[in-house]
Amino acid sequence: MTAKGSLRKFRLGALSVFPILFAGIPIAAQPAASGWEAKESVIKSSTKSRAGMNFEESRVPKYQLPDPLISEDGKPVATPQEWTTVRRPALLQLFRENIYGVRPTTKYEVGYKEVGRRENAFGIGATARQIRATITARGKSHSFDFVIVVPQLENPAPVIVHINNRYLIPLDKAVDESDPFWPVEKLVRRGYATAGFHTSDVDPDKRGKYAEGIRALLDDTDSDPATRWRCLSSWAWGASRVLDFAIKQPGIDPKRTAVAGNSRAGKTALWAGVEDERFQITYSNESGCGGAALSRRAFGETVARINRVFPHWFCERFKAYDDRENEIPVDQHQLIALIAPRAVYVASADEDLWADPRGEYASLIAAGPVFDLLDLKHITDPAMPQLNTPRHVGSTAYHIRTGVHNLTEQDWGYFLNFADGIFKK
Ligand code: GTR
């Protein structure tokens, strides 16, 4: 045993004796040092600023999560093959028909045109390009731009598709200015290629703007309006069109791919990772309700509230579950499970109780049985980690960082450390 190990043992031993001697509380019977807890001040300020919403653990309703490994007919899923061929497709369909919507089957073509190019980006030989994707269907078309930056390396680099819910970071900005929300230079210097697009360029993030987006172009007017896709699914579809292009570029390894997004784009990243199995890692930052957080906890943002404020994000049927979370045939841990056997990273922020950090962590843990069935290592510790202490175990990862709702260089740094391991960089 190391000196440190024996010291720790001694301390624990001493601690367990003192309380018995002096206070009569056998410390060994108490839980081990537990993880993150929301600060009282943040609970108070959240409760004040979001009147009528719950930020108290003690007021989380009683709930039972649907088991990812029990089929709709009550039969246990016993083998990896049953998961892959029967249970996963059935669960995926439940998510499509109840939450994110079913994608149209309209035939389309995509053309990619380079509209800008910078060589030797960051002075390290990276190539940066702005590409315009034009989707054509039934004689009409819709275009959106993305920027893709590829490092100059001996071996092809992994690629990270960033779904940007705030703005398009155009070519010159991506090269000449640094934006922590998508820190291109940092990613490239760490040996990653990256491509970023703006959600609203694929489909406007506004109710009433349907006619201007990809959904208007592709929607199958005969499909069931209750289950038709909405913005989140169309943005995830956009991430796949960016990936189509990226994996054909020299300098990019088509087998090492990731998708990342924050908040509404974090929800989108999870759905992209589920619908498109080419993504090897999904990174969801503070995705909250309709993302990584368990809906049944009704903590922070709820299904009713998200459907009211953002009626254009989820399929129409999702509204049937407003204030009836227990009736949703799925919960978000099963969404995470659908990403297995590929890797998934869930991240939260200390002051972002609206996104329910505890519900995001619990969801990742509750996806665990599927990773077990597939014989993959994953996070199992029911106690959350402490602030700024990433927990990366096998195929799953989590961190909660100091601060407010945002995607920061700190988040990216933790994510890249995990990606390095998965991609064996
Ligand atoms: C919030 C919304 C969240 C989250 C966030 C964002 O207002 O309630 O669900 O998506 O916006 O995207 O920044």
Side-chain angles (χ1 to χ4, degrees):
M1 189 184 290
T2 61
K4 210 171 153 197
S6 51
L7 185 64
R8 191 166 57 227
K9 194 164 180 229
F10 167 73
R11 281 204 181 124
L12 281 174
L15 270 176
S16 58
V17 171
F18 280 117
I20 292 168
L21 288 178
F22 299 111
I25 305 161
I27 213 155
Q30 294 181 351
S34 64
W36 174 84
E37 298 281 347
K39 287 194 204 89
E40 273 309 316
S41 58
V42 182
I43 297 174
K44 274 205 182 106
S45 60
S46 307
T47 308
K48 206 170 158 205
S49 64
R50 306 273 198 184
M53 311 305 285
N54 180 40
F55 298 93
E56 308 265 354
E57 247 349 276
S58 60
R59 291 180 51 215
V60 168
K62 283 213 163 33
Y63 63 86
Q64 207 182 348
L65 291 179
D67 189 329
L69 292 178
I70 304 278
S71 297
E72 288 307 281
D73 59 6
K75 282 204 201 108
V77 177
T79 65
Q81 205 214 351
E82 262 179 81
W83 166 257
T84 311
T85 60
V86 184
R87 179 62 172 151
R88 186 182 186 277
L91 257 182
L92 174 55
Q93 202 54 22
L94 286 175
F95 274 100
R96 286 178 180 147
E97 289 176 359
N98 292 282
I99 304 186
Y100 301 97
V102 179
R103 291 178 177 181
T105 54
T106 308
K107 295 239 175 325
Y108 61 85
E109 280 175 14
V110 192
Y112 297 95
K113 186 173 169 225
E114 185 178 297
V115 293
R117 186 182 187 99
R118 295 272 301 266
E119 301 292 353
N120 195 24
F122 316 118
I124 52 169
T127 304
R129 287 180 291 161
Q130 185 155 331
I131 305 294
R132 182 154 304 152
T134 299
I135 298 93
T136 308
R138 304 182 284 223
K140 291 191 178 150
S141 65
H142 177 83
S143 297
F144 73 96
D145 281 12
F146 59 91
V147 167
I148 180 163
V149 189
V150 183
Q152 191 183 48
L153 297 171
E154 217 167 282
N155 296 315
V159 63
I160 301 171
V161 175
H162 177 231
I163 305 171
N164 192 326
N165 56 302
R166 293 185 179 166
Y167 34 63
L168 173 73
I169 300 183
L171 183 65
D172 286 340
K173 268 202 166 164
V175 176
D176 298 328
E177 294 170 30
S178 71
D179 185 334
F181 201 63
W182 186 42
V184 179
E185 181 169 358
K186 179 184 181 119
L187 301 183
V188 169
R189 284 191 185 274
R190 294 246 340 216
Y192 287 82
T194 185
F197 71 98
H198 180 211
T199 46
S200 277
D201 291 342
V202 175
D203 206 71
D205 189 1
K206 273 209 172 87
R207 49 182 136 173
K209 291 268 182 185
Y210 172 82
E212 294 167 34
I214 193 69
R215 290 182 298 134
L217 184 80
L218 296 182
D219 267 358
D220 178 353
T221 45
D222 292 339
S223 68
D224 180 355
T227 62
R228 212 171 275 169
W229 69 340
R230 288 251 171 86
C231 284
L232 284 184
S233 182
S234 73
W235 300 334
W237 178 93
S240 291
R241 303 295 70 80
V242 172
L243 185 70
D244 294 341
F245 178 86
I247 58 176
K248 292 210 182 99
Q249 303 314 301
I252 290 183
D253 180 351
K255 294 258 175 285
R256 294 188 296 166
T257 61
V259 61
N262 175 60
S263 202
R264 67 197 74 189
K267 311 179 208 293
T268 307
L270 288 168
W271 188 238
V274 167
E275 282 275 22
D276 190 335
E277 295 182 62
R278 295 173 302 169
F279 287 118
Q280 296 304 311
I281 309 179
T282 298
Y283 176 81
S284 132
N285 202 66
E286 299 152 33
S287 57
C289 179
L294 294 172
S295 302
R296 279 164 173 74
R297 280 172 50 84
F299 186 106
E301 189 171 33
T302 60
V303 171
R305 156 86 198 208
I306 207 168
N307 279 329
R308 179 163 59 77
V309 181
F310 305 103
H312 53 293
W313 282 2
F314 300 93
C315 79
E316 197 54 29
R317 182 169 293 156
F318 196 38
K319 298 191 174 85
Y321 304 109
D322 290 358
D323 300 316
R324 304 161 87 102
E325 289 85 357
N326 278 314
E327 293 171 31
I328 315 175
V330 289
D331 210 323
Q332 300 304 105
H333 62 304
Q334 294 171 310
L335 183 75
I336 293 173
L338 288 175
I339 294 172
R342 294 159 300 129
V344 58
Y345 197 131
V346 172
S348 312
D350 184 36
E351 293 174 46
D352 185 15
L353 297 190
W354 186 238
D356 187 13
R358 190 169 300 284
E360 295 188 307
Y361 185 76
S363 184
L364 186 64
I365 297 299
V370 174
F371 287 89
D372 282 333
L373 182 74
L374 302 177
D375 206 14
L376 293 161
K377 283 210 178 86
H378 61 95
I379 301 176
T380 53
D381 191 341
M384 291 178 70
Q386 296 290 350
L387 275 182
N388 309 317
T389 313
R391 188 172 279 163
H392 298 170
V393 181
S395 299
T396 69
Y398 179 86
H399 73 252
I400 176 160
R401 68 152 170 78
T402 315
V404 297
H405 184 67
N406 196 5
L407 175 57
T408 67
E409 290 224 28
Q410 189 182 348
D411 295 310
W412 280 106
Y414 294 149
F415 167 41
L416 293 182
N417 292 344
F418 178 65
D420 282 355
I422 296 290
F423 292 145
K424 304 204 172 30
K425 280 182 86 270

